[in-house]
């Protein structure tokens, strides 16, 4: 991790920082149905090769798991999801056997219903609004797909910025920093490849290895009177400059890393940077909120925690993640009503009722509030209003 004035850069040591892979390619290296243990072992080795983790996309036909019993299918899917720090991604026609919390993201045009919907509302899995033709992987970027097969891709690293610092950063300096980091990584990675220290199961292509630019501190930016309308043009210009100078894909999104947001907040207060004025004053902890919405750890309206800035929507490679803490598991009708009232685009949603495991790391300076402190999601379709002439 490298720190600069108003930014943090996370990269690998001698190779890509994070990546994604399709099940079809994994099956070609280690047959998933004939030797599932070998596939799990291969996937674990691939995830270990990326400091930021690997995502596995289920791009295989749904009948691939029909020969397995229900218990075997559940065990295999659980092992695959556990081996990927960036989670297992699939559709409604793919993996659908979950009997507990799993690192799984369901990609569907509409919120899930039935058994998958129940698992989603209990906090076992997450939901990503799907768009045709590509896989939008939360926290990573856009994964290309050709003939229904996901193309393996990777990131050299992630550059994270506070929203309030966007207008005051030195763009040429940032371009130079990323260019130097990329040149060093490519040089070191070539030595790693020549030494045979890279897993042959992952097909690395330089043109598919890019950078991620992400934002934190959206809540503080709005609290200080900032507006999203004036950020779209400079952000788009910055992304285009990076793509032209680095000649790699640039994935723009939201950063939900609590430790990075905290580090940038302490840096701004410690060094007296101009965007520190939106932070809390001592003795409160001067930390930015992760992402571009309200802090998921603090009680706030659901709409504030699930907000996606509409002016920035065309630039987003992947939907921001909304961790929605609630005191009780929400009902299906209540979820549908709540999501229909949000402005588009929708975020990737993971419900966090009391029984669901909370995402870490856990920080004493800003802990998760108790589930009872959050407002429940009410089912307005079940609300009954007394008659005008009803006797009291």
């Amino acid at each position: 991790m490298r720190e600069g004035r108003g930014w943090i850069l996370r990269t690998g040591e001698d190779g890509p920082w994070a990546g994604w892979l399709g099940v079809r390619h994994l099956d070609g290296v280690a047959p998933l149905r004939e030797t599932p243990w070998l596939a799990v072992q291969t996937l674990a080795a691939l995830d270990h090769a990326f400091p930021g983790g690997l995502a596995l996309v289920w791009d295989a036909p749904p009948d691939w798991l029909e020969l397995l019993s229900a218990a075997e299918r559940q065990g295999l899917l659980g092992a695959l999801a556990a081996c990927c720090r960036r989670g297992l991604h699939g559709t409604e026609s793919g993996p659908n056997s979950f009997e507990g919390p799993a690192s799984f993201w369901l990609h569907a045009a509409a919120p899930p219903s039935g058994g998958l919907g129940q698992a989603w509302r209990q906090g076992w899995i997450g939901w990503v609004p799907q768009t045709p033709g590509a896989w939008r992987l939360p926290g990573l970027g856009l994964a290309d797909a050709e003939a229904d097969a996901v193309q393996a891709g990777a990131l050299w690293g992630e550059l994270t910025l506070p929203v309030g610092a966007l207008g005051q950063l030195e763009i040429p300096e940032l371009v130079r920093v990323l260019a130097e980091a990329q040149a060093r990584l490519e040089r070191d990675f070539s030595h790693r490849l020549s030494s045979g220290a890279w897993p042959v199961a992952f097909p690395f292509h330089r043109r598919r290895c890019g950078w991620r630019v992400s934002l934190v501190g959206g809540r503080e930016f709005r609290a200080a009177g900032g507006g999203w309308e004036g950020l779209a043009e400079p952000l788009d210009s910055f992304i285009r400059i990076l793509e032209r100078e680095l000649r790699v894909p640039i994935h723009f999104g939201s950063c939900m890393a609590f430790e990075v947001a905290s580090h940038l907040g302490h840096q701004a207060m410690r060094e007296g940077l101009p965007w520190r004025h939106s932070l809390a004053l001592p003795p409160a902890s001067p930390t930015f909120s992760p992402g571009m919405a309200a802090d998921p750890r603090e009680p706030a309206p659901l709409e504030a925690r699930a907000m996606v800035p509409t002016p920035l929507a065309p630039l987003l490679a992947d939907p921001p993640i909304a961790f929605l803490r609630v005191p009780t598991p929400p009902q299906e009708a209540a979820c549908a009503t709540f999501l229909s009232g949000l402005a588009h685009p929708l975020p990737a949603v993971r419900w966090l009722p009391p029984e669901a495991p909370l995402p870490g790391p856990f920080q004493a300076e800003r802990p998760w509030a108790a589930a009872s402190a959050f407002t429940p999601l009410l089912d307005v379709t079940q609300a009954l209003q007394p008659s005008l002439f009803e006797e009291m």
Side-chain angles (χ1 to χ4, degrees):
M1 184 173 72
R2 179 177 175 183
E3 176 184 347
R5 186 179 184 272
W7 53 266
I8 282 181
L9 180 64
R10 293 182 292 170
T11 67
E13 290 287 340
D14 52 3
W17 175 67
W20 54 86
L21 188 72
V23 165
R24 286 180 182 269
H25 179 82
L26 178 65
D27 182 74
V29 177
L32 187 64
R33 293 157 289 180
E34 292 80 4
T35 56
W37 59 90
L38 181 58
V40 172
Q41 179 183 357
T42 302
L43 187 61
L46 290 177
D47 182 77
H48 181 72
F50 293 94
L54 179 75
L56 181 65
V57 181
W58 190 275
D59 56 354
D63 59 356
W64 270 30
L65 299 179
E66 288 183 355
L67 299 179
L68 301 179
S69 65
E72 292 173 335
R73 189 183 306 116
Q74 180 181 342
L76 176 59
L77 294 176
L80 292 176
C83 286
C84 301
R85 280 172 290 166
R86 292 290 184 161
L88 175 63
H89 299 255
T91 62
E92 292 176 323
S93 61
N96 55 13
S97 300
F98 298 97
E99 297 298 333
S103 180
F104 178 78
W105 287 99
L106 175 69
H107 293 245
S113 58
L116 281 175
Q118 181 69 18
W120 174 54
R121 295 190 303 277
Q122 288 180 326
W124 292 355
I125 64 175
W127 169 63
V128 181
Q130 187 183 38
T131 54
W135 290 81
R136 305 171 68 211
L137 308 179
L140 287 175
L142 190 66
D144 296 328
E146 296 179 4
D148 298 328
V150 172
Q151 302 298 316
L155 299 173
W156 289 119
E158 180 177 20
L159 176 70
T160 305
L161 319 164
V163 179
L166 283 174
Q168 305 179 52
L169 294 176
E170 298 180 1
I171 303 302
E173 174 67 14
L174 282 176
V175 174
R176 184 189 63 80
V177 168
L178 289 180
E180 291 179 352
Q182 181 174 321
R184 177 186 60 82
L185 287 168
E186 290 181 346
R187 182 178 61 254
D188 295 345
F189 189 50
S190 65
H191 287 285
R192 183 176 179 179
L193 290 174
S194 62
S195 300
W198 177 255
V200 296
F202 188 88
F204 177 82
H205 297 279
R206 183 184 179 279
R207 292 295 183 182
R208 296 178 190 156
C209 190
W211 290 91
R212 178 173 173 83
V213 176
S214 59
L215 300 179
V216 297
R219 170 183 174 271
E220 289 76 18
F221 174 72
R222 291 292 295 163
W228 298 109
E229 294 76 11
L231 296 181
E233 185 175 348
L235 262 176
D236 183 55
S237 175
F238 178 45
I239 294 172
R240 291 180 182 274
I241 291 174
L242 289 178
E243 289 177 337
R244 183 179 68 250
E245 296 296 328
L246 303 178
R247 300 181 181 179
V248 295
I250 302 297
H251 304 265
F252 171 68
S254 175
C255 178
M256 293 303 296
F258 298 155
E259 64 277 19
V260 173
S262 175
H263 196 97
L264 285 170
H266 282 277
Q267 180 206 68
M269 188 64 72
R270 180 179 65 249
E271 300 181 8
L273 301 178
W275 45 90
R276 74 185 187 281
H277 300 296
S278 59
L279 294 169
L281 296 175
S285 175
T287 64
F288 284 115
S289 298
M292 294 182 276
D295 198 311
R297 297 166 292 186
E298 298 178 349
L302 283 167
E303 293 79 4
R305 286 178 276 154
M307 186 274 303
V308 179
T310 302
L312 304 187
L315 306 179
L316 292 171
D318 57 283
I321 301 176
F323 293 111
L324 301 181
R325 185 97 159 116
V326 285
T328 57
Q331 299 300 313
E332 184 172 339
C335 288
T337 303
F338 165 68
L339 293 174
S340 64
L342 293 178
H344 286 269
L346 297 177
V349 176
R350 190 145 199 157
W351 295 102
L352 297 176
E355 299 78 13
L358 298 173
F362 298 88
Q363 299 173 326
E365 60 182 1
R366 185 171 288 187
W368 281 87
S372 58
F374 291 83
T375 304
L377 183 60
L378 299 177
D379 185 358
V380 296
T381 63
Q382 302 294 327
L384 298 177
Q385 296 182 359
S387 172
L388 180 63
F389 301 102
E390 183 178 353
E391 295 182 2
M392 301 299 294

